Amino acid sequence: MYELKGSKAQAERFKKVVRSKMAFRNLRMKDLAKLSGYSPSSLYNFFLDGNWNRFLAATLAEKLDIKEREWR
């Protein structure tokens, strides 16, 4: 998966799923940065309301095993 596209509502649902997966796996932002290869600041910006990076989202979906049905 190279990129994820979706509506604003879908993007916000995706972020909730990522937060849930992080909590389940007991991951901090620093851990997620290491896992994804993105900087912590990129991740913090991604989680701000209205921000979306389709490439970062695709990486997170792959690394956290997030299925499309979980957020669409």
Side-chain angles (χ1 to χ4, degrees), residues 15-52:
K15 292 175 188 181
K16 286 181 183 178
V17 172
V18 171
R19 287 186 192 101
S20 174
K21 297 271 185 173
M22 287 175 67
F24 181 76
R25 294 174 64 174
N26 200 27
L27 294 173
R28 296 169 298 168
M29 201 63 75
K30 184 171 78 171
D31 303 320
L32 189 60
K34 187 177 277 189
L35 180 68
S36 67
Y38 281 87
S39 69
S41 63
S42 292
L43 291 168
Y44 282 114
N45 286 333
F46 176 78
F47 283 104
L48 292 175
D49 265 351
N51 285 354
W52 182 252

Side-chain angles (χ1 to χ4, degrees), residues 51-70:
N51 285 354
W52 182 252
N53 178 323
R54 64 189 188 271
F55 303 107
L56 192 155
T59 299
L60 294 178
E62 179 183 334
K63 299 296 183 183
L64 296 174
D65 194 33
I66 297 172
K67 307 294 184 222
E68 189 172 341
R69 68 179 179 273
E70 295 179 79

